[in-house]
Amino acid sequence: MSQATRPHTGPPATDRGQGSRSSRGLWLALLLALACVAVLLTVLPDADDGTDDRKDGAACPARTVGSWRAEPRLNDAFAAYGDDGARDDDWSGGDGSHSVRLPDGRVLWLFSDTFLGRVHPPPNPEGKPHKWRDGGAPMVRNSGVVMSRSGTPEQTLPTPLFHDAGPGQWRWPVAAKVEPRTPGSDEDVVRVLLWTRATAPKPWIFGVPAATEVATLTLPDLALEGITQISDQRGIANPERRVLYGTTAVDDGEWTYVFGGNDAQTASRPSSHAYVARVPQGALGDPAAWRYWDGRDWSRDGAKARSVLGNGDHKGVGSAFTVVRDGGTYVLFTMAAGASGLTDVTSYWACAPTGPWHGPGAGFAPPLPRDAAANGDTAAYNPQAHPALSRDGRLVLSYDVNALDAAGTAGGQALVNRNVELYRPRFVSLRLTARP
C-alpha cells in the first residue's frame, strides 16, 4: 500500500517539537481536503439526473410540453400534393421530413426514402377504403419538394436529389440551413447534411451508418453544386459505435451546433445516444472547422466524441430527433425509450447543447391515421421541428408514420402502397411551458 493510501495513526514516534506540530497540521489539512472532495462528489449533480443546474432561472427555465394539437391544414396540404396524379415523377409519399426556409420565402422540404407514381382513388385492391399506389410505383432514396410562400407544396425537384454514394450505398438528407458560401460572404447557399448508409444483413435492415456529408445547393435554383465528406465512420468495426451528425442543427451566437447519434440495434440497448458537434456559422461545408464534444472540451478528433444524452435504458434518443432553442433553453424532442418508442414523443431540456440534459418529460402520443391506428399496425417516428412554419408562440413538429409487419418492424413497399396515408408527414403544434 502506498504512502498516499495507507491509513495513518499519528506522527512517527521520532517526531518532536515544531516538526511534530507541522506534521499534525499537514495531516489535518489533508483530511479536511479529502472530506471536502467527498462532500462535493456527493452533492454534485449527475450529468443526467434531472437536477436543476441553472445559474440564472430567468435565462434558462426548465421547459416541457404544455399543450399540443393536430395541424390538419398541413396534413391536408401534403395529402393533396401527393394525391395529385398529373405526373408520374412527382412525390407521393416520403419520410425523414426536414425543412428550411429560403431567402425568397419558399420552403424547401427534404425527404429520405420517397415514393413517386400515381395515386389511385379507393377502394384499394383489397377492397379497403384507402387511396393506393401501384405495386410497381418507383421509390428513390431522397427527394426535395418546394413549398410556395403561401404554404402549398408545388414542385418536386428532379429525383433523387442526391445520387448514391456508391454500390450498395445511399444518402438520406437530414438538417439543412441557409448560410453564407464562406464566412462573411454576401452570397448565400443551402447546406444540406447527409447521412450515407450501406446495405448490411439483419438487424441492419435500414443499412449501417457509413459517413456524414454536407451538400451545397445553389440559390435560387436549388441545383446541386457538390458534396463534401465530413466524417467517415466505416473504419469503426462495430456499427453501433458509429455516429452520424445532422439530425438537427441549432444556431447560437457565432456557432451552429449539429446534433447526431448512434443506432441502437440490440435488445441490450433499447435507446440510442445523442452527440453534438459545433461549427462556426458559415462553415458547415468545411470539415476542418468541425469540433466534437469529448466530454470536457471541443476536439478536432471526432473519434473522441462522447455522448451528451443516453444511458441505453430509460434515457436516450431515437436515431432521429430534433432540438430547438426556447429563449436560453435547449429543448430536445424524440420518441420515448422502450416500448413507447413506437407511439410517444417525449422531451428533454438543457441550458447548453452539451447538457446536462434533464428528463424525460411528460410525453404525448400524436394521432395516427384513423383506420390504420384501429388495426394497431402502425408506428410514429422521427419527430422534427419546423421553425419555418412556427408562429404565434406555437412550435410545429412533424412526425412520420409507417406500417408494421407481423414482426413489429417497419413494413415494406407493398404495405405502404395499400394506404398512401401511411408514408407521409403528419403535423402537430405545441406550446412549451415551465416545467415544475
Side-chain angles (χ1 to χ4, degrees), residues 5 23 39-40 46 56 60 94 129 152 161 178 211 213 258 347 381 398:
T5 57
S23 179
V39 170
L40 284 173
D46 180 79
D56 182 348
C60 177
T152 302
L161 185 56
V178 175
E213 299 174 309
V258 185
S347 64
Y381 60 105
S398 71

Side-chain angles (χ1 to χ4, degrees), residues 70-80 147 150-153 389-391 396 427:
E71 288 292 338
R73 182 184 64 83
L74 287 166
N75 296 345
D76 294 345
F78 277 96
M147 176 180 276
S150 64
T152 302
L389 304 180
S390 303
R391 58 180 62 86
V396 171
F427 298 87

Side-chain angles (χ1 to χ4, degrees), residues 177-270:
K177 71 185 299 284
V178 175
E179 66 174 21
R181 177 177 289 280
T182 57
S185 170
D186 292 332
E187 180 188 4
D188 285 340
V189 294
V190 180
R191 306 287 191 197
V192 181
L193 286 137
L194 303 173
W195 287 349
T196 299
R197 301 182 78 92
T199 55
K202 290 183 178 182
W204 299 93
I205 58 176
F206 301 114
V208 292
T212 300
E213 299 174 309
V214 171
T216 299
L217 305 179
T218 59
L219 286 168
D221 57 338
L222 299 173
L224 175 61
E225 184 175 275
I227 296 175
T228 301
Q229 186 176 99
I230 301 298
S231 172
D232 189 349
Q233 298 288 288
R234 283 165 282 213
I236 300 174
N238 183 355
E240 288 199 48
R241 296 188 178 277
R242 300 178 183 181
V243 179
L244 298 184
Y245 290 88
T247 183
T248 187
V250 183
D251 288 340
D252 190 351
E254 63 183 306
W255 302 102
T256 296
Y257 292 95
V258 185
F259 291 82
N262 63 333
D263 280 1
Q265 295 291 322
T266 61
S268 63
R269 294 176 57 195

Side-chain angles (χ1 to χ4, degrees), residues 4 31 51 91 118 159 178 180 221 254 282 292 296 321 368 414 426:
L31 287 171
T51 305
W91 181 96
R118 295 177 184 268
T159 58
V178 175
D221 57 338
E254 63 183 306
Y292 305 87
R296 295 195 303 176
F321 57 92
L368 300 174
R426 301 179 72 83

Side-chain angles (χ1 to χ4, degrees), residues 243-338:
V243 179
L244 298 184
Y245 290 88
T247 183
T248 187
V250 183
D251 288 340
D252 190 351
E254 63 183 306
W255 302 102
T256 296
Y257 292 95
V258 185
F259 291 82
N262 63 333
D263 280 1
Q265 295 291 322
T266 61
S268 63
R269 294 176 57 195
S271 61
S272 300
H273 290 240
Y275 296 75
V276 66
R278 75 176 187 182
V279 188
Q281 287 206 38
L284 270 178
D286 179 7
W290 283 61
R291 299 292 183 271
Y292 305 87
W293 183 249
D294 65 7
R296 295 195 303 176
D297 205 348
W298 298 98
S299 172
R300 294 175 179 268
D301 186 357
K304 295 181 178 179
R306 295 293 179 267
S307 68
V308 297
L309 172 61
N311 62 9
D313 188 7
H314 63 286
K315 291 179 183 287
V317 295
S319 58
F321 57 92
T322 193
V323 178
V324 297
R325 287 184 64 213
D326 186 58
T329 306
Y330 286 80
V331 185
L332 181 153
F333 298 94
T334 184
M335 301 309 295

Side-chain angles (χ1 to χ4, degrees), residues 329-415:
T329 306
Y330 286 80
V331 185
L332 181 153
F333 298 94
T334 184
M335 301 309 295
S340 298
L342 297 177
T343 57
D344 294 356
V345 175
T346 191
S347 64
Y348 297 82
W349 68 273
C351 293
T354 56
W357 288 92
H358 308 299
F364 66 97
L368 300 174
R370 184 179 62 255
D371 293 341
N375 295 331
D377 57 359
T378 57
Y381 60 105
N382 188 26
Q384 289 295 324
H386 300 280
L389 304 180
S390 303
R391 58 180 62 86
D392 301 326
R394 301 194 68 87
L395 175 67
V396 171
L397 205 71
S398 71
Y399 57 101
D400 298 322
V401 177
N402 206 339
L404 298 179
D405 61 20
T409 56
Q413 182 171 354
L415 290 174

